């Protein structure tokens, strides 16, 4: 009888371990489970039940202890999808397979747009929201550095409840690596004096490029202008200098209104980037296409017409901008 009872109990335990846990509610929504640091295995079992798993917390705790992995359970934020078995649950908790969200920082975004994107992420802890730009950059280890353009545009995953500062630190270091790699490949005759100047030029190229195939030539035009001392005269820098005052319509008076970023009124590169450049724009800034062009104008189809002389440029403007 004892042997039969042991076999029956063993069979029941095996069956329970391989059966999907019953969850509160219907549908296919996963349950959210938050395990705080320092929670005991017994407390974890209670937290699982409190999250909406319909089972006995004592039974779960016994499974944790019997498996020998009770001390391997890691704190974090987890999702328990329908169909999860007790074996699968413990495996997830012991491996620390937290539920991850994703945030995409888009090429060409400015810092204001990055701030807005972070604020929309409800699962992030918004530690940066209370900090000024200066205080935030100091906390990231870059005191005195403007945040504009310093974060690499990419998709970043994060666990629920993690800090937005931690995500920004990853994006900052990613840009450091990308910029360092691009600067190491710079052309021997580049007029750029530093990697920071390359970042600034790359941000302008990012905003000016409508067609990827034109990126190298656009970088070549600005490189030529820097080399001969011409004003860059690029509209995106003027728009950036206007900030929130820009209403979508760039007027002649805007081009004549001096700001630190107005490349119609000030020579050389602006003091900071104007957006986040991607990898292609970083490389174009340091390895521009060889070209004699000093001018370009949008053709209306996403591409640009490039000109080596002012007369040719004026004819292109008449054709593509004025319909003459």
């Amino acid at each position: 009888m004892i042997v039969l009872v042991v076999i029956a109990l063993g069979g029941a335990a095996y069956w329970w371990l391989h059966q999907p846990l019953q969850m509160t509610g219907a549908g296919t929504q996963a349950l959210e489970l938050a395990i705080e640091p320092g929670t005991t295995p017994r407390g974890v079992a209670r937290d699982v039940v409190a999250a909406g798993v319909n089972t006995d917390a004592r039974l779960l705790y016994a499974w944790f202890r019997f498996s020998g992995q009770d001390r391997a359970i890691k704190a974090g934020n987890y999702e328990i999808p329908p169909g999860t078995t007790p074996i699968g649950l413990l495996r997830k908790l012991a491996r620390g397979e937290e539920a991850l969200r994703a945030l995409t920082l888009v090429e060409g975004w400015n810092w204001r747009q990055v701030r807005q994107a972070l604020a929309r992420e409800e699962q992030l802890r918004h530690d940066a929201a209370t900090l000024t730009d200066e205080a935030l950059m100091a906390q990231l280890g870059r005191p005195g550095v403007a945040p504009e353009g310093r974060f690499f545009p990419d998709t970043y995953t994060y666990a629920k409840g993690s800090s937005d500062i931690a995500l920004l630190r990853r994006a900052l270091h990613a840009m450091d690596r990308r910029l360092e790699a691009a600067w190491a490949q710079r052309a021997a005759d580049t007029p750029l004096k530093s990697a920071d100047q390359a970042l600034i030029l790359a941000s302008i190229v990012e905003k000016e490029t409508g067609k990827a195939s034109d990126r190298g030539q656009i970088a070549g035009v600005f490189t030529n202008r820097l080399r001969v001392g011409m004003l860059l005269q690029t509209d995106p820098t003027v728009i950036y200098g206007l900030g929130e005052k820009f209403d979508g319509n760039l007027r002649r008076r805007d081009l004549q209104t001096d700001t630190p970023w107005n490349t119609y009124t000030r020579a050389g590169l602006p003091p900071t980037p104007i957006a986040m450049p991607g990898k292609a724009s970083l490389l174009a800034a340091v390895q521009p296409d060889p070209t004699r062009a000093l001018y370009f104008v949008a053709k209306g189809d996403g591409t640009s017409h490039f000109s080596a002389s002012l007369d040719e440029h004026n004819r292109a403007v008449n054709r593509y901008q004025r319909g003459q």
Side-chain angles (χ1 to χ4, degrees), residues 227-244:
R227 190 175 285 122
V228 301
M230 286 181 64
L231 293 173
L232 295 185
Q233 293 185 322
T234 167
D235 293 354
T237 62
V238 178
I239 293 170
Y240 183 83
L242 293 173
E244 295 183 354

Side-chain angles (χ1 to χ4, degrees), residues 208 210-211 214 217-218 296-299 301-306:
E208 282 281 18
K211 189 84 168 181
D214 286 346
Q217 286 196 81
I218 289 173
F296 66 94
V297 62
K299 295 165 64 175
D301 61 356
T303 64
S304 298
H305 179 91
F306 297 86

Side-chain angles (χ1 to χ4, degrees), residues 149-153 171-179 199 277 282:
R150 294 289 171 175
F151 304 93
F152 188 71
L172 176 68
H173 292 163
M175 181 59 86
D176 288 344
R177 293 191 299 271
R178 295 288 190 178
L179 180 58
L199 181 63
L282 288 170

